[in-house]
Amino acid sequence: MTPGEFVHTVPMSVLYVDKTARITAMNAPAQAMFGDQALGRHYITVLRQPGLLEQIEKTLETRVTGKAKYLSSEAGRDMVFLANIAALADGEGLMIAFEDVTPVEEAGQMRSDFVANVSHELRTPLTALSGFIETLRGPARDDEEARDRFLDIMEREAGRMNRLVQDLLSLSRVEDVARMRPTDTVNVAGIVTSVTMGLGPLAEERNVRLVTIGCNDPVEVPGDSDQLTQVFTNLIENAIKYGAEGGAVTVTLEERDNEATLRGPGVLVDVADEGEGISQRHLARLTERFYRVDGHRSRGMGGTGLGLAIVKHIVNRHRGRLRVTSTAGQGSRFTVSLPLDRSVVR
């Protein structure tokens, strides 16, 4: 089998560079990456990236197989490939195979970002606590008024760290069972009713009216009661906190015989507030870990930046959908769609 024939037997992108340093064969995936015009051209004019070119030259010189990263872009998304460069026998050129390692690179970046975000979130309260402890041991040692004020702040900062740790543990537990479908049947109308009753004192404190619609009769879905309670607690609590003070939060439950987002029967739980709304540029990123529309306000309300990420993971585990819509000055609407058919979640 000739090198030109061999490249078409490999599923990943493969180029054949002959002894004249020109690309004389490429398979269909490689054509999609580099275009048909790459055929017959010197590899330097096609590949261009210094790290890869350096490794190709090294392999041509030493005949030892090498690897190098190759960065590309596809449909606006950055792609990372691992180029495996192998010299052929008798100086007949070399083969370059491109392995898509984008998911691995993205996972590594996500881990790095996650560690950086957790470190940042913990550093602020820890710095505050250290500063107040030093002050209480020094200048404020005998100042009773300052001591009480500092202790109140320290209690809030400690509570903030505790909430962050609890949310991190919750997110970890949700991810651990992400591929395990819920096996119980739960009354989602009962869960919503219980959550709204539990958040009644917070609503009263904010002078917010809590309105529930469609929750009088039981509506059973395959699900995890604790996790769905967590979902609706987070969404309704957020609506109370970030909606208009003195306004209303409306929770609507509706059954549908054919819900388009689920491709089958489902139940929709809609949480709508009357707040200032969320800018369109933020909507796509709301469920990212530690992403905040207004970081200062969120921290002031006790938010950790993980709540909606947890909601997204739980809804995904239930094979449901989370949709967020908002109009400036007209409030926000969070809609959870859950399948009624057990076969959908298995």
Side-chain angles (χ1 to χ4, degrees):
M1 182 182 296
T2 66
E5 294 172 332
F6 173 78
V7 297
H8 296 287
T9 66
V10 183
M12 66 178 66
S13 299
V14 179
L15 302 176
Y16 168 57
V17 178
D18 68 11
K19 57 187 177 183
T20 67
R22 294 185 179 276
I23 299 172
T24 56
M26 57 196 305
N27 61 4
Q31 289 177 6
M33 277 184 66
F34 303 105
D36 295 337
Q37 66 274 17
L39 275 173
R41 292 172 58 186
H42 195 287
Y43 72 84
I44 291 179
T45 65
V46 175
L47 302 178
R48 297 188 178 183
Q49 296 183 16
L52 176 57
L53 296 179
E54 182 180 347
Q55 184 58 57
I56 290 174
E57 292 171 3
K58 185 175 180 180
T59 298
L60 285 171
E61 179 182 347
T62 64
R63 316 305 295 173
V64 176
T65 298
K67 296 183 178 182
K69 282 187 178 179
Y70 180 81
L71 307 180
S72 181
S73 180
E74 183 177 308
R77 180 192 180 199
D78 292 334
M79 307 283 288
V80 183
F81 294 87
L82 183 63
N84 296 273
I85 309 155
L88 302 183
D90 303 322
E92 289 299 318
L94 49 81
M95 291 282 187
I96 309 174
F98 294 85
E99 177 186 0
D100 185 1
V101 294
T102 305
V104 177
E105 291 288 323
E106 289 178 341
Q109 186 60 50
M110 285 178 63
R111 284 193 294 271
S112 297
D113 291 345
F114 184 70
V115 171
N117 281 321
V118 171
S119 300
H120 174 74
E121 292 293 331
L122 287 173
R123 185 181 299 119
T124 302
L126 282 172
T127 300
L129 287 171
S130 297
F132 287 129
I133 290 171
E134 182 177 348
T135 303
L136 288 171
R137 283 177 170 170
R141 179 188 297 272
D142 300 318
D143 188 335
E144 185 175 343
E145 182 180 347
R147 183 172 65 245
D148 290 341
R149 186 172 67 253
F150 290 163
L151 287 173
D152 286 341
I153 298 173
M154 291 169 69
E155 183 179 24
R156 287 201 301 271
E157 294 296 338
R160 178 179 164 190
M161 286 192 292
N162 183 58
R163 287 191 298 274
L164 177 61
V165 171
Q166 292 301 319
D167 277 355
L168 287 169
L169 291 173
S170 180
L171 183 60
S172 176
R173 286 193 294 268
V174 171
E175 290 179 333
D176 285 344
V177 297
R179 298 183 181 277
M180 299 170 59
R181 300 297 140 239
T183 56
D184 296 334
T185 299
V186 299
N187 176 12
V188 68
I191 291 174
V192 171
T193 300
S194 175
V195 168
T196 53
M197 289 178 62
L199 291 173
L202 177 63
E204 289 181 13
E205 182 182 326
R206 292 273 298 168
N207 192 26
V208 171
R209 289 183 295 109
L210 271 178
V211 181
T212 57
I213 300 172
C215 296
N216 293 330
D217 299 321
V219 179
E220 295 187 336
V221 301
D224 182 311
S225 179
D226 290 341
Q227 287 193 344
L228 291 180
T229 297
Q230 191 171 9
V231 165
F232 298 123
T233 297
N234 183 286
L235 295 180
I236 298 172
E237 184 177 23
N238 281 354
I240 294 171
K241 288 181 176 179
Y242 303 112
E245 189 167 356
V249 170
T250 304
V251 185
T252 305
L253 187 149
E254 178 186 359
E255 290 184 73
R256 291 187 180 178
D257 293 332
N258 187 18
E259 168 55 30
T261 59
L262 302 174
R263 298 182 181 179
V267 56
L268 274 63
V269 180
D270 193 81
V271 181
D273 64 54
E274 297 176 349
E276 60 190 37
I278 303 169
S279 173
Q280 293 296 312
R281 64 191 178 91
H282 293 298
L283 293 182
R285 300 189 61 189
L286 282 179
T287 57
E288 292 181 13
R289 299 171 183 180
F290 298 108
Y291 187 81
R292 294 181 173 95
V293 175
D294 184 341
H296 180 74
R297 184 183 179 194
S298 174
R299 291 186 180 93
M301 292 285 191
T304 63
L306 291 173
L308 289 178
I310 294 171
V311 166
K312 181 190 71 171
H313 280 287
I314 292 175
V315 172
N316 287 345
R317 184 198 173 201
H318 286 72
R319 285 297 186 262
R321 298 290 183 271
L322 174 66
R323 184 172 69 253
V324 185
T325 55
S326 184
T327 303
Q330 298 182 24
S332 304
R333 185 180 300 273
F334 289 76
T335 304
V336 174
S337 306
L338 298 170
L340 284 169
D341 185 358
R342 181 172 296 278
S343 64
V344 175
V345 298
R346 282 181 177 170

